[in-house]
Amino acid sequence: EGGCHHCSGRGTFGRVAVMELMRNDRKLRAGIRDNKNAEELSDISHANGHSSILREGLARFAEGVVDFEEIRLFEMLDR
């Protein structure tokens, strides 16, 4: 809980970032140009092989890198 001297007591040393990146390809640019909403843009991106932050979080959990409690945050962000 209190962290260590490496992270000045913040508990952040050795943490791994779990993030979601969208590749700005032709189809996504067309969706942006057509004023698609965030959900529609997400659908376009996922159809092109993009992985959601929830999937990335679950993959990191399976690797033992993140705690299952952190998956709740990813689930909220994936909505």
Side-chain angles (χ1 to χ4, degrees), residues 18-57:
V18 177
M19 62 191 87
E20 175 176 19
L21 299 173
M22 288 184 160
R23 184 181 196 141
N24 194 2
D25 63 7
R26 185 177 47 82
K27 291 180 180 183
L28 189 59
R29 283 192 302 272
I32 293 167
R33 189 175 44 251
D34 294 341
N35 265 342
K36 301 287 186 187
N37 64 37
E39 187 175 341
E40 292 169 315
L41 293 174
S42 182
D43 290 344
I44 291 168
S45 187
H46 290 157
N48 288 328
H50 169 259
S51 184
S52 73
I53 194 164
L54 179 58
R55 278 185 202 248
E56 291 299 316

Side-chain angles (χ1 to χ4, degrees), residues 45-75:
S45 187
H46 290 157
N48 288 328
H50 169 259
S51 184
S52 73
I53 194 164
L54 179 58
R55 278 185 202 248
E56 291 299 316
L58 289 171
R60 298 306 155 262
F61 171 72
E63 294 169 356
V65 176
V66 297
D67 187 73
F68 190 73
E69 290 299 313
E70 293 176 273
I71 301 298
R72 287 187 183 160
L73 174 62
F74 304 139
E75 185 177 19

